[in-house]
Amino acid sequence: DSGVTQTPKHLITATGQRVTLRCSPRSGDLSVYWYQQSLDQGLQFLIQYYNGEERAKGNILERFSAQQFPDLHSELNLSSLELGDSALYFCASSVGLADGWAGELFFGEGSRLTVL
Amino acid sequence: GIQVEQSPPDLILQEGANSTLRCNFSDSVNNLQWFHQNPWGQLINLFYIPSGTKQNGRLSATTVATERYSLLYISSSQTTDSGVYFCAVDENYGGSQGNLIFGKGTKLSVKP
């Protein structure tokens, strides 16, 4: 058990819909990262938050958005879903010190999204 | 951006055999981690090893940062070692925030 909690574990929805994935980081970790794993693209970094602020952006679509709340949990919102958004979405957390050294990343079990 | 290449892409072993997985990266790094993704999709931390050598049971890893590669050794493989092994690095330059760039992985199948 990595200590990172993601919900839901599985989600099936239809094209055009919107879903929210939730992540609780390990106790004491300030940085949260979101990754997408699809068959054709591998593990892709989407976005990172540190202590409530966006810190880095990767290959995140405009239809996707995220935030980190004061209690440090994070949510990833996926809207106007398309078939190609079907993937495993991982959240990770790390200590994430202010000077930029992030430390070791620990991953949750993922949320498997299927868009029909 | 930084490139991460893993080899071999696929590996089939008989139970009890040893193996070496390689990870090459194109620039200096702050962080290098090895993960095992099991058949259920879980990403399990194996090593946090930006440099040096570490061992954990039958697994060990070595990173030679100056030559930009890392090796993961699996000895006396077991069927439970099957899955995909990922190497991931964090670019070492101003503005890096810790996000990892993953290689494409090595898919390991251990036969009984």
Side-chain angles (χ1 to χ4, degrees), chain B residues 23-84:
Chain B
C23 172
N24 292 332
F25 43 97
S26 60
D27 207 340
S28 59
V29 297
N30 273 324
N31 176 13
L32 188 147
Q33 290 185 238
W34 283 97
F35 296 90
H36 174 215
Q37 187 167 37
N38 64 23
W40 295 270
Q42 293 175 305
L43 274 172
I44 298 163
N45 287 40
L46 296 178
F47 294 101
Y48 170 76
I49 188 167
S51 64
T53 297
K54 290 185 178 180
Q55 178 151 10
N56 184 4
R58 296 182 296 103
L59 273 59
S60 64
T62 294
T63 296
V64 183
T66 53
E67 297 188 21
R68 298 179 186 167
Y69 73 89
S70 183
L71 302 173
L72 177 69
Y73 306 95
I74 304 174
S75 65
S76 304
S77 58
Q78 300 175 358
T79 56
T80 52
D81 295 331
S82 296
V84 182

Side-chain angles (χ1 to χ4, degrees), chain A residues 19-110:
Chain A
V19 299
T20 297
L21 310 180
R22 182 188 169 100
C23 169
S24 294
R26 293 188 322 153
S27 177
D29 283 358
L30 298 180
S31 274
V32 169
Y33 311 77
W34 286 97
Y35 285 81
Q36 179 193 56
Q37 186 178 30
S38 57
L39 283 175
D40 55 345
Q41 294 292 325
L43 269 155
Q44 298 277 312
F45 167 67
L46 296 179
I47 196 163
Q48 180 204 359
Y49 284 82
Y50 170 74
N51 204 20
E53 293 186 1
E54 182 184 306
R55 273 296 180 92
K57 247 181 179 177
N59 300 318
I60 188 166
L61 300 173
E62 285 194 9
R63 301 183 286 107
F64 296 179
S65 64
Q67 55 184 327
Q68 186 180 28
F69 295 86
D71 67 353
L72 301 178
H73 90 273
S74 178
E75 292 181 357
L76 178 67
N77 300 297
L78 315 176
S79 61
S80 303
L81 285 168
E82 302 175 0
L83 296 178
D85 297 327
S86 294
L88 190 51
Y89 290 85
F90 285 105
C91 170
S93 74
S94 73
V95 172
L97 301 178
D99 64 1
W101 178 79
E104 186 174 0
L105 271 68
F106 292 87
F107 282 74
E109 295 188 354

